Amino acid sequence: MSIDLTHTIKKIQSHRYAIVSEMEAKINKIKEEYTGILQKIDAALEILTEMNNACLNCSGRGFYKKIDASGNWDRVECEDCGGTGRAK
């Protein structure tokens, strides 16, 4: 005895295709939305970075603090700005 499930298989395949198409449309819509937002953020960051005079690593202090092996705070010169506190 042979069972013919071709109609059911084709129906499921069609349903799967419709779901994948809907998913891809939603993903593309979300990508477009976030791309626009990210472009605005990137533009703002570019302007602010150009205006900034302070080193990003040490926030313009020229140093940062870290705990040494004995548990005491150590003042360490910033490697990025060489201790000047200025952005490069």
Side-chain angles (χ1 to χ4, degrees):
M1 182 166 122
S2 170
I3 300 175
D4 182 2
L5 298 172
T6 56
H7 177 71
T8 305
I9 291 169
K10 288 179 181 181
K11 206 169 189 176
I12 293 171
Q13 286 174 332
S14 176
H15 184 64
R16 184 185 187 287
Y17 176 79
I19 289 173
V20 169
S21 295
E22 181 181 341
M23 177 186 70
E24 288 174 350
K26 287 180 179 183
I27 288 170
N28 288 335
K29 184 177 178 183
I30 291 169
K31 281 183 180 180
E32 287 175 17
E33 178 184 340
Y34 280 94
T35 297
I37 293 168
L38 289 172
Q39 286 173 343
K40 290 176 185 177
I41 291 171
D42 289 344
L45 277 172
E46 185 177 341
I47 291 168
L48 292 173
T49 301
E50 287 177 16
M51 293 171 54
N52 180 48
N53 293 322
C55 174
L56 289 176
N57 188 43
C58 66
S59 299
R61 291 185 309 259
F63 67 92
Y64 58 92
K65 292 183 178 181
K66 73 174 191 175
I67 297 178
D68 64 16
S70 62
N72 297 317
W73 286 100
D74 239 354
R75 184 175 160 149
V76 180
E77 183 178 281
C78 178
E79 303 90 16
D80 287 1
C81 66
T84 66
R86 294 193 187 136
K88 289 188 176 183

